[in-house]
Amino acid sequence: MADVASPLQYDDPPHLGPFLMQARLRVGPAGLVYLGRGADGRAVSVAVLTRGAALDPAARDRFVTGIREAMASRSGVRGWMARAARGRTAVADATPQVLAMDDGSAPWVATPYESGRVGAEWFLEPVLVSGTLIGEEHGPDFAPYWVSDRSPALPPPPKGAPPPTETQRSVIIASVVLTVLLVLLTVMLWLLLRRVEEVQPPPRPLPGTVFVPTPPPVPTTTGPGRPTPGPGRTGTGTPGPSEGDENEGEPI
């Protein structure tokens, strides 16, 4: 691995735990090492497994176990994993101090950063093994299927805060206010509909029936009792005596 600081890449985590990542220090098949800074301004070295190694239960267990063995060795208890890793590491004589760690889905460990001294990369050594772990290492070497994956394992996004819950008193007050508003709305609608019904004009009455009497029929012929014209007048019939002839025909 190249021990040269380089800028962070797009897929690098901006922070791991309480530490802010500032640059890349090393990139290897087992994990990546970052230069970080703590909340107190202290420079730290942070090692995180690659995405493929984090998905391999055996590789993740070797990484986490090496960290715990190192913490135990600081307290005076040294395990076989710590001794094996120490034997394979020719960079330092003592395990670095563990400041913080995370053994979740994206394991990482933070140690103090000192130029020229081994840091968090010490814990990446046990992740890659060659041969078998039966006594001394022997047998054919093998490469894990994830050895070509150089992307860091990113921790899952933090869970959002639960939605705020109201107290029982607030719920009761809100229910009462909502009920009052509904009652007022119902009353307003009822008054509005009632006013509309009152404003409507009454229905127009039907016109009265007018009876017009029909005149009696007029006869076309002369009716009975009409006098017949006398003599001297034009007309038909028997001539009667004139006024000067009243005594005519009587004996003298």
Side-chain angles (χ1 to χ4, degrees):
M1 295 185 291
D3 193 6
V4 179
S6 61
L8 296 175
Q9 304 298 320
Y10 175 77
D11 55 350
D12 288 330
H15 56 81
L16 289 172
F19 305 105
L20 178 65
M21 302 297 101
Q22 293 182 328
R24 281 186 176 189
L25 291 179
R26 295 189 181 186
V27 179
L32 294 87
V33 182
Y34 297 97
L35 174 63
R37 187 166 299 275
D40 55 355
R42 183 179 184 181
V44 294
S45 173
V46 183
V48 60
L49 291 180
T50 62
R51 185 168 47 194
L55 294 175
D56 185 357
R60 187 172 63 249
D61 182 69
R62 288 192 293 271
F63 180 69
V64 174
T65 302
I67 298 172
R68 291 175 177 170
E69 290 285 346
M71 296 173 65
S73 66
R74 285 277 177 175
S75 62
V77 180
R78 187 174 299 275
W80 69 270
M81 181 61 74
R83 291 195 300 270
R86 181 187 176 117
R88 290 193 301 271
T89 304
V91 180
D93 297 333
T95 58
Q97 179 186 1
V98 176
L99 299 178
M101 66 167 293
D102 184 3
D103 57 356
S105 58
W108 57 267
V109 60
T111 65
Y113 174 75
E114 297 179 10
S115 180
R117 294 182 61 87
V118 67
E121 65 272 10
W122 189 89
F123 298 100
L124 296 176
E125 295 295 331
V127 178
L128 287 175
V129 296
S130 59
T132 60
L133 293 179
I134 303 176
E136 294 296 330
E137 297 178 2
H138 61 86
D141 293 338
F142 66 93
Y145 65 91
W146 42 261
V147 72
S148 60
D149 186 2
R150 300 301 173 92
S151 300
L154 300 178
K159 296 182 180 180
T165 56
E166 298 293 341
T167 60
Q168 185 177 3
R169 180 180 178 183
S170 301
V171 173
I172 294 176
I173 294 176
S175 301
V176 172
V177 172
L178 181 60
T179 304
V180 172
L181 291 177
L182 290 176
V183 171
L184 291 177
L185 180 61
T186 304
V187 172
M188 292 175 62
L189 290 176
W190 179 75
L191 293 176
L192 181 61
L193 294 177
R194 182 179 178 183
R195 181 175 180 82
V196 170
E197 293 178 356
E198 293 178 354
V199 170
Q200 289 180 354
R204 186 176 181 181
L206 296 176
T209 305
V210 179
F211 296 96
V212 179
T214 305
V218 179
T220 56
T221 58
T222 304
R226 185 174 183 178
T228 303
R233 301 178 183 177
T234 60
T236 59
T238 305
S242 60
E243 295 180 358
D245 295 339
E246 292 180 356
N247 299 323
E248 194 175 12
E250 293 183 359
I252 298 175

